[in-house]
Amino acid sequence: MRVLYITGWCRSGSTVLGNVLAEVPGVVHVGELRFLWRNGVLGTGSNARCGCGDDLRECPVWGRVLEAVRPDGRTLEQHAAEVVAWQDANRTRHTWRTLRTPPRNGWPGTLAATYRAIADVCGAHTVVDSSKYASDAALLSAMPGIDASYVHLVRDPRAVAWSWMQPKAYTGRRSALNSTLNWAGFNLAAEAVGRAHRADALHLRYEDLVRSPRAAVGSILELIGHAGPNPVAADGTVELGGNHTVTGNPNRFGRGRTPIDEDRRWHTALPRPHRAATTLLALPLLRRYGYETRV
């Protein structure tokens, strides 16, 4: 089986990209899988609903997956607490260490078993994970029986900062400073994974995705060796069916014919002081990723 892992920072379009890819036969998008145990079992995260609308534990997919990977003698709550503790020992800042030496706790084995359970329950051969934790992406190449591919999805940090400043259902808010510092850290970690797996990695800007979605999705299908068909129509729309995504942008609940459009509101709505601060903080990476550097 294959796992396509999307790295980068939040509010960069990963939920939309994953749900578009899920319309390809044999591909399932699971959203931010890392939060399955925290949100779905422990209830300490921001949202416990699956993309299908059910609570994660009541969802026919996640209920079976959670039971499949739960060790004998452990309740779901006990296992979830162990998983979250293992995850906390393998965060984004640990990516470089993980690339050298994977952790020896139970997280790598649990993650691998979860991918296999998802593929089995969903009848899929490719799992798209948009958790965006480069430290987890760094584990994949050491998992036997799994072929890994990586998409580093990046968006202009000023657009991301503006998005984080807007109230949105259950996803919380961040300041422009907080967003930009995380944007830099998560993207640097994503670069490290991409360098370690150059033949299996693709760098993709959100702006290129929304301006030429069919071409962008085509390049990803080529990366994972999938013949398609490409679900994006010539007019840049896609027919979205149901999904079983863990957390992610609230647009994961959308269905039907959907345009893949660029959200450009930040160009006029982001206050100049926030725009200037974000530009200065992100300046080296702005240049590297081909973004405008003027305030």
Side-chain angles (χ1 to χ4, degrees), residues 256-278:
R257 180 60 56 179
T258 304
I260 304 174
D261 292 330
E262 181 177 4
D263 186 346
R264 295 178 56 84
R265 288 175 291 175
W266 71 271
H267 283 272
T268 55
L270 182 65
R272 186 173 178 81
H274 295 298
R275 184 183 183 118
T278 299

Side-chain angles (χ1 to χ4, degrees), residues 218-236:
S219 66
I220 295 173
L221 294 179
E222 182 177 353
L223 174 72
I224 65 177
H226 198 302
N230 192 319
V232 182
D235 64 357

Side-chain angles (χ1 to χ4, degrees), residues 141-283:
S141 62
M143 294 179 178
I146 291 179
D147 292 325
S149 299
Y150 314 86
V151 171
H152 176 193
L153 184 62
V154 62
R155 186 182 184 187
D156 191 309
R158 293 156 296 201
V160 174
W162 180 81
S163 179
W164 272 113
M165 291 167 65
Q166 309 313 305
K168 190 171 289 190
Y170 74 72
T171 58
R173 299 177 68 179
R174 292 177 183 266
S175 68
L177 174 62
N178 180 283
S179 172
T180 306
L181 290 174
N182 277 283
W183 179 90
F186 272 64
N187 281 310
L188 286 171
E191 286 187 15
V193 173
R195 285 194 299 270
H197 303 286
R198 293 183 188 276
D200 300 305
L202 175 69
H203 178 87
L204 176 63
R205 300 196 319 170
Y206 160 88
E207 292 79 8
D208 297 326
L209 167 65
V210 296
R211 292 168 190 169
S212 301
R214 184 171 173 83
V217 170
S219 66
I220 295 173
L221 294 179
E222 182 177 353
L223 174 72
I224 65 177
H226 198 302
N230 192 319
V232 182
D235 64 357
T237 64
V238 62
E239 185 71 27
L240 293 178
N243 67 76
H244 292 282
T245 50
V246 178
T247 194
N249 193 296
N251 64 23
R252 66 197 174 99
F253 297 108
R255 302 289 187 270
R257 180 60 56 179
T258 304
I260 304 174
D261 292 330
E262 181 177 4
D263 186 346
R264 295 178 56 84
R265 288 175 291 175
W266 71 271
H267 283 272
T268 55
L270 182 65
R272 186 173 178 81
H274 295 298
R275 184 183 183 118
T278 299
T279 301
L280 291 174
L281 280 172
L283 193 58

Side-chain angles (χ1 to χ4, degrees), residues 16-69:
V16 171
L17 174 59
N19 281 348
V20 171
L21 292 170
E23 297 305 319
V24 179
V27 178
V28 59
H29 175 222
V30 297
E32 298 181 20
L33 179 64
R34 185 178 172 101
F35 295 97
L36 173 63
W37 295 268
R38 187 187 303 272
N39 290 16
V41 180
L42 299 181
T44 56
S46 60
N47 185 263
R49 288 178 65 202
C50 174
C52 71
D54 291 340
D55 286 344
L56 289 165
R57 289 181 66 163
E58 302 301 322
C59 168
V61 168
W62 293 117
R64 291 174 62 188
V65 169
L66 286 166
E67 284 294 337
V69 301

